[in-house]
Amino acid sequence: MDELVPPRKADITYETETPVRYEVAGQVAWIVMDRPKYNNAQNSQMTYALDDAFQRAVNDDAVKVIVLAGEGKHFSAGHDIGTPGRDLHKSFERRLLWPDHVNKPGAELLYTREHEVYLGMCRRWREAPKPTIAAVQGACVAGGLMLAWVCDFIVATDDAFFQDPVVRMGIPGVEYFAHAFELPPRVAKEFLMLGERMNAERAHHFGMVNRLSTRETLKADVQAMAEKLAAQPRMGLWLTKQAINHVEDLRGKRTAMDAVYHMHHFAHAQSDLTSGNALGGQDAKSMAAANKKQAGEG
Ligand code: ZN
């Protein structure tokens, strides 16, 4: 989801050195995205901090359940496409067996980067051998969807909403293409092609959200659910999770994602060739303005 611009590493200004907090409550690890100033926009700094936190929670035998949450008004506004901490052209020590992206020409740069930080990382977190719960309030938009979707359960506040507006950039959905597995196909088409917000109640109706909560009770509700899960045998939970993930993959989730990942990158390349911008000329500001217009007209 990143435009191609020349490397300007000096331009990166992180507002925090700790974009993710790690807290343990009983047998539950809380991984909390902590860039509330930017609605938890996901840069690579945050991505690798999330991976560190998942790794830590997996390594700690005293932790039986993992919660992914977002500090502040919103769970996640999606991938970072415009904060001062946007670090698209920075090298990181990779966790998967992919080369560095920063010196790659043309479409290879984003193709390589997104294999690692989006598709690859999401798949890695989905396979965590402990139950995971996403605690979602406010916006869960575009890249934010991927973070909620990799969790086994989603608990959302009554004012939460879900949206993938990237068709506006000419792109058929975010990199981790679970849309047509999270929602019935016709609803997934509507969700993507209109790009409108889906409220928590409607998402709950389709089974995308397990439980509804409120801003006041989200933390307690999620902790209570996690403690119930923690009372189950560890190995039984891991095997059950693998069983259901396996069924999803037998239904084509993994192969569909592999196919759509390439459509996603054809779209980035087409936008870059025709407009000189891999996001079809959109940025955080123009996307917010279009959302506002759409909400007003809808
Ligand atoms: Zn992308």
Side-chain angles (χ1 to χ4, degrees):
M1 300 298 310
D2 300 301
E3 67 190 302
L4 291 165
V5 290
R8 288 181 305 178
K9 282 185 200 168
D11 285 355
I12 302 168
T13 309
Y14 290 132
E15 82 286 0
T16 175
E17 286 307 309
T18 51
V20 173
R21 297 202 315 271
Y22 183 88
E23 295 155 2
V24 175
Q27 295 178 293
V28 185
W30 282 73
I31 297 174
V32 184
M33 294 180 279
D34 201 7
R35 296 187 77 198
K37 188 178 173 190
Y38 299 112
N39 300 323
N40 297 320
Q42 184 190 346
N43 54 10
S44 286
Q45 180 204 34
M46 176 187 280
T47 304
Y48 287 101
L50 283 171
D51 194 63
D52 288 341
F54 275 108
Q55 189 112 51
R56 189 171 167 187
V58 166
N59 286 341
D60 184 350
D61 283 343
V63 165
K64 290 192 69 182
V65 179
I66 303 167
V67 174
L68 178 60
E71 182 62 48
K73 204 173 163 199
H74 300 289
F75 176 76
S76 170
H79 298 149
D80 189 339
I81 57 171
T83 83
R86 186 171 185 234
D87 50 9
L88 164 61
H89 292 285
K90 187 171 151 75
S91 289
F92 285 84
E93 197 177 316
R94 292 161 304 284
R95 307 294 160 88
L96 307 168
L97 205 54
W98 305 117
D100 195 5
H101 67 283
V102 295
N103 60 349
K104 299 297 182 291
E108 190 179 358
L109 187 148
L110 283 190
Y111 180 79
T112 306
R113 174 174 189 264
E114 296 190 349
H115 251 306
E116 159 87 5
V117 295
Y118 297 149
L119 184 60
M121 284 297 180
C122 282
R123 283 176 163 171
R124 179 171 154 91
W125 301 334
R126 174 187 180 242
E127 301 299 325
K130 299 179 181 183
T132 51
I133 307 173
V136 177
Q137 81 283 13
C140 180
V141 173
L145 291 169
M146 299 167 44
L147 298 173
W149 284 345
V150 297
C151 294
D152 300 310
F153 306 95
I154 299 177
V155 179
T157 60
D158 48 10
D159 66 351
F161 62 90
F162 302 84
Q163 183 187 25
D164 190 351
V166 304
V167 170
R168 201 179 285 142
M169 300 171 170
I171 298 170
V174 286
E175 294 81 2
Y176 182 84
F177 192 83
H179 308 64
F181 290 86
E182 296 288 346
L183 296 166
R186 243 177 253 292
V187 179
K189 285 177 183 169
E190 177 191 340
F191 184 68
L192 277 164
M193 291 193 209
L194 287 177
E196 292 172 346
R197 292 177 174 186
M198 178 180 285
N199 64 34
E201 197 186 336
R202 192 163 185 231
H204 181 251
H205 173 74
F206 293 120
M208 195 175 104
V209 165
N210 291 87
R211 295 182 183 187
L212 294 172
S213 182
T214 65
R215 292 245 172 198
E216 294 70 39
T217 57
L218 180 65
K219 213 169 172 188
D221 288 347
V222 170
Q223 180 70 22
M225 186 181 184
E227 283 172 13
K228 277 191 190 170
L229 286 164
Q232 300 277 42
R234 176 170 70 201
M235 193 70 188
L237 289 169
W238 184 16
L239 292 171
T240 305
K241 171 170 180 159
Q242 287 184 88
I244 295 175
N245 283 0
H246 184 60
V247 169
E248 283 194 295
D249 289 341
L250 286 174
R251 288 177 180 161
K253 190 175 188 176
R254 189 177 178 92
T255 46
M257 266 184 204
D258 284 334
V260 181
Y261 183 77
H262 290 82
M263 298 177 201
H264 178 100
H265 279 278
F266 172 74
H268 275 316
Q270 172 70 357
S271 289
D272 195 35
L273 284 167
T274 56
S275 70
N277 178 298
L279 299 185
Q282 299 281 357
D283 59 17
K285 249 189 193 156
S286 67
M287 288 299 277
N291 269 339
K292 221 172 159 185
K293 192 166 173 246
Q294 189 181 46
E297 285 169 359

